[in-house]
Amino acid sequence: MSYGMSGRVFHAPFIEVNPHFELRGIVERSTKQAQDRYPHIISYDNVQELLDDPAVELIIVNTPNDTHVEYALAALKAGKHVLIEKPFAPTVGEARMLFQVAEEMGRLILPFHNRRFDADFLALKEVVQQKELGRLIELHLRFDRYKEEIGPKVFKETKRPAAGVIYDLGSHLLDQAISLFGRPKAMTKISGKYRPNTQVDDYGCIVLNYKDGLNVFITTSLLVANPQASFVLNGTKGSFVKNRTDVQEAQLIDGMMPNNPAFGVEPDASEGILTKPDEDGRLTSRFIAPVQGDYMQLFNEVYAAIREDKPYFVTKDQIIWQLEVLEPNK
């Protein structure tokens, strides 16, 4: 694990407080910060030191997107299990290779898709599973931000494998759609570069068509000054609308640990709205009670996969289907 934003926010706090894990160490090549918060850990100077530590069983690959394959492959060949950040790999071929090497080494390579445990998405998932909206017609999934300036992270802003907003944010939404509905029968993908001097796509739209007639519209953009509802589901018997209201990332950035009882609890007025006709045919709306976000569940799933040989919640096929859409010229 490295100790950039991802390591500080999405990984170290969970490994630290989960009783199934021990936070053994973090790779910090130059600036040493992790021990300020976790004084008991090892601060490795380089990746090889981490790979050579016999006490390490699981390595988290949360480095720049274009290095995921390199580091995951090295960890697998060193006999480690791997938890790998999104995007899993730039291409389908590289993903298949990683899964094959993991099988040959008798190790697991597990995709990190924490946003399946966002409170807002869990609310959408409940509505889908309850089948209140009749035959589903369309689902809109959005990830809207406004960042006109070119960001300082070189790996995100320069033309290299798995760069751009579709890989960065679109992979979250694509994974959510696939987790609900499986592999689409067809897809259309549009990307664009709109910020001054950008080298990578900052807008993307993916349309997934399913055999039962459902259409899923995935939109990611860095140029939406007024973010729209992140989840809009329309069916023959009604509609469901939910904003992006999950608080886990903000809480972690503010220093809250995942074992705090308030972690993942959405604030008041964050409910989704379900609208459908009543017995007299009049449209009525009601709030859908919020669901507590729970990124810790991902780490519990990692433990169960490694120690109890339970199927992991993100499958190999789902990753392949995702990359069939994300990969350029697909």
Side-chain angles (χ1 to χ4, degrees):
M1 182 199 308
S2 64
Y3 201 59
M5 191 269 194
S6 172
R8 291 194 311 273
V9 173
F10 293 118
H11 296 287
F14 295 92
I15 297 295
E16 174 70 5
V17 302
N18 190 311
H20 296 312
F21 295 89
E22 174 194 350
L23 183 58
R24 171 76 174 174
I26 294 172
V27 176
E28 297 178 286
R29 287 194 175 98
S30 53
T31 305
K32 303 287 187 176
Q33 297 178 330
Q35 287 177 328
D36 292 341
R37 187 167 188 183
Y38 307 104
H40 59 283
I41 68 165
I42 298 170
S43 179
Y44 302 102
D45 292 329
N46 54 65
V47 172
Q48 193 59 50
E49 287 185 5
L50 170 62
L51 297 178
D52 290 340
D53 187 339
V56 172
E57 295 180 71
L58 172 69
I59 288 179
I60 298 173
V61 176
N62 62 326
T63 52
N65 295 354
D66 60 324
T67 67
H68 285 184
V69 173
E70 173 191 354
Y71 290 134
L73 184 60
L76 290 171
K77 290 185 175 180
K80 315 295 187 182
H81 299 293
V82 175
L83 179 61
I84 185 170
E85 269 274 12
K86 59 81 193 168
F88 186 87
T91 67
V92 171
E94 289 168 308
R96 291 189 188 278
M97 180 270 294
L98 288 177
F99 282 118
Q100 180 179 343
V101 171
E103 183 175 355
E104 292 171 352
M105 296 298 300
R107 294 294 180 266
L108 297 179
I109 184 163
L110 306 171
F112 182 81
H113 271 299
N114 61 329
R115 291 195 179 274
R116 289 199 194 185
F117 302 102
D118 276 354
D120 37 41
F121 174 70
L122 290 173
L124 170 71
K125 184 177 179 179
E126 282 195 2
V127 170
V128 171
Q129 292 176 337
Q130 289 167 2
K131 299 183 179 180
E132 282 196 65
L133 301 184
R135 183 183 178 187
L136 299 181
I137 300 169
E138 63 176 1
L139 170 63
H140 294 263
L141 300 171
R142 299 188 64 95
F143 221 129
D144 292 337
R145 292 180 174 173
Y146 190 82
K147 295 183 177 181
E148 186 180 15
E149 72 283 354
I150 304 300
K153 295 182 179 179
V154 175
F155 75 91
K156 285 190 175 185
E157 295 286 11
T158 55
K159 192 172 182 179
R160 58 180 66 192
V165 74
I166 295 181
Y167 269 101
D168 187 37
L169 299 180
S171 57
H172 285 308
L173 305 183
L174 191 52
D175 175 72
Q176 290 176 340
I178 288 173
S179 75
L180 290 176
F181 306 115
R183 185 181 190 178
K185 70 173 184 178
M187 75 92 180
T188 302
K189 182 171 58 178
I190 302 168
S191 65
K193 301 176 182 178
Y194 295 95
R195 295 171 303 161
N197 303 314
T198 186
Q199 298 182 40
V200 300
D201 58 272
D202 46 36
Y203 170 84
C205 180
I206 299 169
V207 182
L208 307 177
N209 309 114
Y210 285 87
K211 291 180 180 179
D212 59 1
L214 171 66
N215 298 295
V216 177
F217 300 85
I218 292 171
T219 304
T220 61
S221 178
L222 299 182
L223 290 172
V224 179
N226 182 14
Q228 304 300 297
S230 297
F231 305 92
V232 178
L233 178 63
N234 297 314
T236 56
K237 299 296 184 181
S239 299
F240 174 72
V241 178
K242 184 83 163 71
N243 291 321
R244 188 167 301 283
T245 51
D246 188 88
V247 296
Q248 293 176 91
E249 180 175 347
Q251 289 175 331
L252 291 162
I253 290 172
D254 287 343
M256 182 183 290
M257 294 298 282
N259 54 354
N260 188 311
F263 184 74
V265 177
E266 292 186 323
D268 293 339
S270 298
E271 299 91 344
I273 299 176
L274 191 146
T275 303
K276 58 186 300 186
D278 61 18
E279 294 179 354
D280 297 322
R282 293 173 297 189
L283 291 177
T284 61
S285 296
R286 74 175 194 269
F287 291 122
I288 299 298
V291 180
Q292 186 170 3
D294 188 15
Y295 291 164
M296 184 62 82
Q297 184 57 32
L298 182 147
F299 293 89
N300 292 334
E301 294 278 351
V302 171
Y303 172 81
I306 294 173
R307 284 287 187 264
E308 301 171 0
D309 199 29
K310 290 186 177 180
Y312 191 58
F313 74 101
V314 184
T315 70
K316 172 184 175 180
D317 283 345
Q318 289 171 341
I319 291 298
I320 298 303
W321 300 340
Q322 180 187 129
L323 290 172
E324 285 176 343
V325 175
L326 290 176
E327 187 176 344
N329 302 320
K330 291 288 185 179

